[in-house]
Amino acid sequence: NVTGVQTCALPISELLKIQPALDNGEIVLVDRHYLSNLAYDWWTDLDRDFKRIMDEVYLDRCIQPDILFLFTISYETFVERDDGDSELDKSLFEAIQQSCLWWGKKLESERCRVVYVDGSKPQDEVFQFVMSQIYILLGGDSSNEVSDK
C-alpha cells in the first residue's frame, strides 16, 4: 500500500494518518515535508525567532525519511514549466535551490539517504528513476520497467 501526502495542503487530521500508515507497513510519500522546513532560510520575510522555534520544535517531531528525493532544475526550466503563479526571480530561486542542496548534503552526513534527481529531464524519465530508487530501497530489482498506470 502507498499513502501519498502533500503536507502543505493538508489539515492536521490528514497529517495524523502518517504514523498509523507507517505502523501498518505502508509506504508513505510526502511532498515538501522534511527538507522544505530546513530550507526556509532563504525566506527573507520570515521572522528569525519563528524560524528558530520551527527548527527546534517542529523538526524534533519530524520522522526522518527513509529516502529523500531532492529534485533540481535550472531556473530556465522552472520558468518554462511555471504555471504563472510563481513570483520567484532567478536569485531567489537559486538561493532556495542552494539551501536545499546544502541541507541535502548535511542530511547525508547524518545518514539520511538522499537521492538527487535531475528534474529537468522528461517526466517519464524522472518517474522511472524515482521508482527504481524506491524498488532498491524495498530490496527489489531496479532494472524492471515501471508503469505509471
Side-chain angles (χ1 to χ4, degrees):
N1 264 345
V2 176
T3 301
V5 178
Q6 289 187 304
T7 58
C8 57
L10 288 179
I12 193 70
S13 61
E14 290 297 309
L15 293 174
L16 293 175
K17 294 179 181 179
I18 293 173
Q19 190 60 53
L22 291 172
D23 292 344
N24 288 330
E26 293 184 36
I27 298 169
V28 178
L29 304 175
V30 181
D31 176 28
R32 283 173 261 162
H33 171 57
Y34 196 74
L35 182 61
S36 291
N37 191 64
L38 294 171
Y40 277 143
D41 285 334
W42 58 265
W43 192 356
T44 56
D45 293 341
L46 186 64
D47 180 275
R48 300 322 291 165
D49 290 332
F50 175 75
K51 169 69 172 130
R52 182 183 48 75
I53 291 168
M54 285 280 289
D55 286 348
E56 291 173 3
V57 176
Y58 173 75
L59 290 175
D60 286 343
R61 295 180 182 180
C62 282
I63 300 167
Q64 185 169 343
D66 292 316
I67 189 168
L68 175 77
F69 292 101
L70 203 159
F71 294 82
T72 60
I73 61 172
S74 67
Y75 181 72
E76 293 70 27
T77 302
F78 168 74
V79 169
E80 287 173 17
R81 295 181 180 173
D82 183 29
D83 59 9
D85 289 338
S86 179
E87 298 178 10
L88 292 178
D89 63 20
K90 186 173 184 174
S91 63
L92 187 53
F93 173 87
E94 289 174 349
I96 295 166
Q97 186 154 259
Q98 288 305 312
S99 183
C100 287
L101 291 169
W102 186 88
W103 277 107
K105 294 294 182 193
K106 175 137 175 60
L107 291 171
E108 277 182 305
S109 73
E110 295 172 6
R111 302 188 192 273
C112 179
R113 182 171 177 194
V114 179
V115 176
Y116 297 88
V117 181
D118 181 356
S120 63
K121 291 185 177 182
Q123 183 178 348
D124 60 332
E125 285 183 39
V126 172
F127 176 81
Q128 290 290 330
F129 176 75
V130 169
M131 291 306 296
S132 73
Q133 296 302 302
I134 291 172
Y135 281 129
I136 291 169
L137 177 69
L138 297 174
D141 181 2
S142 67
S143 64
N144 293 333
E145 189 69 17
V146 179
S147 172
D148 61 354
K149 305 294 182 214

